[in-house]
Amino acid sequence: MVHIVGAGPGDPELITVKGLRYLKEADVVIYAGSLVNPALLDSCKEGAEIHNSAHMTLDEVVATIEQAEAKGRMTVRLHTGDPAIYGAIQEQMDAFSKKNIEYDVTPGVSSFLATAAALRQEYTLPGISQTVIITRNEGRTPVPEREKLKALASHQATMCIFLSITMLDKVVEELIAGGYGADTPIAIVQKASWPEQKIVRGTLQTICEAIKDKNIDRTAMIVVGRCLGADYELSRLYAPEFAHMFRKASK
Ligand code: SAH
């Protein structure tokens, strides 16, 4: 059996209770070494076989799991954040299915949510934006034309941009070209939830200058939208005059 587990964004306490239990029980662990906090591996049982997938191809990962399966061993495939977001797990799951290897998925705290926590920010503010767009700028992996930042920017929603910090100039250019004003607030969070977490805030106009000399070149989330520092409306959920299934109106 293979358990695909979301390791969370970095802080070892941000893995789920279930994910940690699987990790403690695993005979074989294959972890995404570029981003998973190695401190999590301290929870593995003695003698567990540990592989860093940063040095492996898909075929090698699958072959390692096949060998473990043949010996009746349990494998944890540990991915950063939540495995469903830029985790490249579909191809692994399809390979497992083809080989009749049983597997399941345990979700994790994605870095875009750890970023909200670091910023102490709600992404969905009434009157400002009720939509969060999770996306990336085009890199070596192509992005469909209809999903280019410029096109998505027309919604003026809260946007969490993964995998793009090295292209910040281009990101800002596309966002402005797509419709965000140059004064739209933007925040960069590097290594959210890690001890070395860094936050830089600015506007689309100022951010490129603001992150110069900050040594932010990887593992960073870009958040843009008027929710950052906005004058928003109070939520309906807690408004006194607003009744719902669990509370009568008090005004
Ligand atoms: N599955 C992961 C994302 C993997 S893609 C998740 O759900 O978070 C890798 C990208 O995620 C990085 O380039 C960066 O944009 C983002 N990322 C991962 N960990 C992060 C962290 N702790 N803080 C900020 N961004 C992070």
Side-chain angles (χ1 to χ4, degrees), residues 86 135-139 141-152 174:
Y86 305 116
T135 189
R136 62 172 301 171
N137 193 36
E138 184 159 82
T141 305
V143 171
E145 194 59 39
R146 62 185 180 276
E147 296 178 13
K148 293 276 159 70
L149 285 181
K150 191 174 159 190
L152 298 178
E174 291 281 300

Side-chain angles (χ1 to χ4, degrees), residues 10 16 24 27 50 62 87 107-108 112 130 142 158 168 192-193 204 216 239 249:
T16 62
K24 285 179 174 167
D27 306 302
I50 296 178
V62 175
F112 82 96
Q130 291 290 289
T158 304
L168 186 63
S193 87
L204 286 177
I216 297 185

Side-chain angles (χ1 to χ4, degrees), residues 113-136:
L113 297 172
T115 293
L119 294 170
R120 295 188 287 185
Q121 182 65 55
E122 178 177 345
Y123 289 150
T124 52
L125 291 180
I128 302 292
S129 175
Q130 291 290 289
T131 304
V132 183
I133 296 177
I134 292 169
T135 189
R136 62 172 301 171

